[in-house]
Amino acid sequence: MIRKLFRDERGNVALLGAFSLIALIGFGALAVELGQGYSMKVTNQRVADTAALGAALAYSGSSTTAVLEATAKSIAAAQGVSASQVVAALIDSPTGDGSKAVQVTITTPLVLWLARVLTTAASFNVSAVSIASLKGSGPACILALSKSVATGISAVGGTSVTATDCGIAANASISTTGGAKLVAKTVRTGKTVSSNGGSSVTTSPTANQITQNVSNAAVDPLAGSTDISGATTLLGTYTAVQTSIVPTGTDYTLDYNPPNGIKSFWNSSAKTYTFPAGTYNIKNLKLSGGITAVFQGSSTITISGSIDHGGTSLAFGDGPVTIVGDTKIGGGATFTIGNGRHYFGNISVGGSSIMTVGTGNVDINGAIDLQGGSKLTFGAGNVVIGTGSGSTKNMSIVMAGSSTLVFGNGTFSAQGGISTAGGSKINFGATSNHLINGNLDIKGAALFGTGRYTVNGDFTDGTGGTVWPTGTMLNGTDVSGYDLAGIDVTFVIAGKLDLSGGAKVYLKAPTTTGNGGVANVLIANTDGDDFSFGGGSSSIMVGAIYAPRSATTMSGGAALSSGTGCFMLIADTITMKGGSSGATICPGMGDSSAGSVMLLQ
């Protein structure tokens, strides 16, 4: 029976036809799904091209691979490709010219449904690779934005600028004369580049990366910054000084013949008055030469008039102190006030005298006037200062040579300007925003605590030669040997900048926006006032000097260093002469129009 079935050939044609039909269906399914794969390949290529170009532009603006990868994934996600299917990397350009390129790879799975009749595979990957060139690009760190002048950047004399980690860009011409040398990673200009008298403009490490006569060669990387515009709106603001109604007391004249009312507090052998803790309402308090007076704490001391301290020592213990009139100290006297909420009128310390105020908020309804050799120290707390009269009119702080003023951490507001003389030292505490409604004129030494300084006027430094001694630390940084030092600081100013006079400066911008500062911005002015910048042989400035409407001059000094940080100069026009400097891009602050970004493959 079985042999008979094997000899029967009547079903062979039908069997062969069935197998042929399966094959035809399989190949047809394979053709359909190969077509789908090709369509997916085209889609992936389009997404990869878009992501590569976008990532290249983002990298040109930031010079960070993290931004490059994030941009590529974000662009792909907007077109329906998940982040896990995107790989972006910075590579050497396949052109072999030494430049860099951005490579983006998109890989998506194609699920097989019909073609499974021919294969056990459930899917296969469809990949597309795109490479965008960065040739001729790269963020600029020295930018002259003006389009209305003939020359945007001018370098003369012994100027030597090295910016091999970034570019130099100007919307007008770049001109070098008299031996000046500009070296940058790239050079871009809206007009031409000219060199005369032994001067030069070159690029390194890759030669001939100079692009001329291009539109938008220099683009403001901080245009539209809400951090800067927000700080600018605070220029001219200050905190109003608080005052209170106080009772009128009796005069305390502390000399060698005390009246009966305070005779019991007098120790003639020690030349000392000792007042126990309590509440004291005094009209005027005066100490004669050689006298010491102690008001023990905790006490509430209210002086409706003034203090005239020419004695040896005056001390108030802890507790609130209110002095409505002038506080005058002279003749080498000391005045110590404990912790508490304190109010003052004008404060005048002279003649090598020393005044110390403990922790607590302080309002000064007048000015601080420090004479030669005097010292005034405030503990931690909020400080509000008004303005004085006469020689201190419109001023909040006036310091003569060899005087010292120290503020603890806490909010700071000055209704007027601040002026210090050569040989003086001023130390600002840390706070989110130091409000200064006037000029900040430093001719001595200054330490700037962390935070923003909103200066409604000029910021000038003409050092008197005083520097901070060995071992001076500021926010964990050794600033010994510098006269002007600030770590994690941003200055937003309404007037001109003049840092010159042989100043030895160590100023460092914050790396992140917080504590009041603006990330990577050191000094900013958007009004167009002139900037004059002259460094010393050991000056360090880290961050961006941002003056998009200002004519800026860099001069003097043997060298300007950014240390291990970045230095950028963004101005309307830039003139460099008589010195050298180095520049590097500040993270996240490049300009996105930095040359040609194009697809290579």
Side-chain angles (χ1 to χ4, degrees), residues 19 94 100 109 129 141 207 215 229 236 271 313 333 386 457 495 524 528 548 561 564 572 575 579 585 589 593:
F19 280 119
K100 292 292 184 180
V129 178
C141 52
S215 60
S229 61
K271 303 178 183 178
S313 175
S561 168
T564 58
D572 188 59
T575 300
I585 189 72
M589 290 179 61
S593 66

Side-chain angles (χ1 to χ4, degrees), residues 34 36 274 570:
L34 284 175
Q36 291 176 339
T274 302
I570 305 159

Side-chain angles (χ1 to χ4, degrees), residues 338-519:
N339 303 329
R341 179 66 169 97
H342 304 317
Y343 300 86
F344 299 91
N346 291 294
I347 297 177
S348 177
V349 184
S352 300
S353 299
I354 299 173
M355 179 176 173
T356 304
V357 182
T359 299
N361 296 340
V362 173
D363 279 70
I364 303 169
N365 191 25
I368 295 173
D369 186 5
L370 301 184
Q371 301 304 310
S374 61
K375 182 176 182 179
L376 173 58
T377 302
F378 293 92
N382 302 333
V383 176
V384 178
I385 311 173
T387 58
S389 59
S391 62
T392 60
K393 184 179 180 180
N394 298 323
M395 302 297 295
S396 291
I397 298 172
V398 176
M399 298 177 62
S402 70
S403 62
T404 301
L405 177 57
V406 179
F407 294 100
N409 295 339
T411 62
F412 180 90
S413 173
Q415 186 176 339
I418 297 173
S419 176
T420 73
S424 65
K425 294 180 179 180
I426 187 169
N427 187 344
F428 294 92
T431 189
S432 59
N433 192 22
H434 305 74
L435 295 168
I436 302 172
N437 185 36
N439 295 331
L440 178 58
D441 182 14
I442 306 295
K443 291 186 174 64
L447 291 181
F448 296 98
T450 297
R452 184 172 70 234
Y453 292 78
T454 306
V455 181
N456 190 34
D458 301 336
F459 179 19
T460 58
D461 175 33
T463 177
T466 302
V467 298
W468 295 100
T470 300
T472 302
M473 303 295 293
L474 182 60
N475 203 18
T477 300
D478 186 354
V479 295
S480 307
Y482 295 94
D483 59 6
L484 205 67
I487 306 298
D488 295 335
V489 294
T490 297
F491 296 87
V492 178
I493 65 177
K496 68 179 181 180
L497 171 73
D498 186 0
L499 301 182
S500 57
K504 295 182 178 180
V505 176
Y506 193 138
L507 294 176
K508 182 178 180 181
T511 56
T512 58
T513 296
N515 297 321
V518 179

Side-chain angles (χ1 to χ4, degrees), residues 506 508 540 542 561-566 584:
Y506 193 138
K508 182 178 180 181
I540 294 177
V542 181
S561 168
S562 61
T564 58
C566 65
T584 56

